[in-house]
């Protein structure tokens, strides 16, 4: 094993760990959404369609986080720590929102599933700006950064 492949393997391991961490709150959202809707409204096709639509909308921010993790980790070595902070932040925000929903007695609590994709999307946007901003700042200061400077061969 050469020294140039060790950072690539470590980076890939970290990336897989972050992607697994993204999957946990996504699964939690699906479970709480299904539970709160009675798992699709007793077999009614309309209820299932709405459940699927809400599931897709509420999973979109997690797909975007996964994209930020993959792209941020490849664009610059500092992108991975920024993406990690973002993943933890999105997971924490999801946990707070879902806990508030489950504990609420309010009849308007299900509105969470309308607004949660928006709030999580804003959080993902902040994470993307951080990862892209770090790379941009480093390039402007004369440090090209990227895979070559980190000793990582990302062409494979």
């Amino acid at each position: 094993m050469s020294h140039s492949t060790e950072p690539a393997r470590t980076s890939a391991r970290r990336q897989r760990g972050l992607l697994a961490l993204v999957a946990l709150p996504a699964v939690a959202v699906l479970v709480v959404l299904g539970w709160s809707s009675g798992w699709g409204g007793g077999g009614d096709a309309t209820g299932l369609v709405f459940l699927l639509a809400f599931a897709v909308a509420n999973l979109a921010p997690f797909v975007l986080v996964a994209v930020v993790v993959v792209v941020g980790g490849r664009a610059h070595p500092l992108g991975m720590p920024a993406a990690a902070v973002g993943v933890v932040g999105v997971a924490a925000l999801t946990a707070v929102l879902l806990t508030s929903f489950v504990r609420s007695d309010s009849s308007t609590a299900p509105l969470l599933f309308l607004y949660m994709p928006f709030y999580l999307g804003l959080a993902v946007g902040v994470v993307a700006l951080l990862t892209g901003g770090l790379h941009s700042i480093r390039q402007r200061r004369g440090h090209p950064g990227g895979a070559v400077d980190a000793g990582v061969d990302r062409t494979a």
Side-chain angles (χ1 to χ4, degrees), residues 8 12 15-16 23 31 39 45 49 67 69 75 93 96 100 124 128 135 149:
Q15 197 173 53
R16 283 192 302 270
V31 169
W39 302 103
V49 168
V67 168
V69 167
L93 180 59
V96 167
S100 298
V124 172
H135 181 62
D149 289 344

Side-chain angles (χ1 to χ4, degrees), residues 45-144:
T46 305
L48 288 174
V49 168
F50 280 114
L51 178 62
L52 287 174
F54 277 108
V56 168
N58 280 279
L59 288 179
F62 299 104
V63 172
L64 293 175
V65 168
V67 168
V68 168
V69 167
V70 171
V71 172
R74 288 184 182 167
H76 194 276
L78 290 178
M80 191 60 73
V85 169
V87 167
V88 170
V90 167
L93 180 59
T94 302
V96 167
L97 291 172
L98 290 179
T99 301
S100 298
F101 171 76
V102 170
R103 291 181 165 197
S104 176
D105 293 332
S106 172
S107 63
T108 60
L111 290 174
L112 165 76
F113 294 109
L114 286 175
Y115 297 110
M116 188 164 60
F118 173 72
Y119 289 123
L120 291 178
L122 286 176
V124 172
V126 169
V127 172
L129 286 174
L130 280 175
T131 56
L134 287 172
H135 181 62
S136 176
I137 289 169
R138 187 152 166 93
Q139 278 187 332
R140 275 192 228 142
R141 290 187 178 168
H143 303 286

Side-chain angles (χ1 to χ4, degrees), residues 1-11 151-153:
M1 171 170 30
S2 72
H3 292 290
S4 65
T5 60
E6 284 181 36
R9 288 183 184 178
T10 302
S11 178
V152 179
D153 179 21

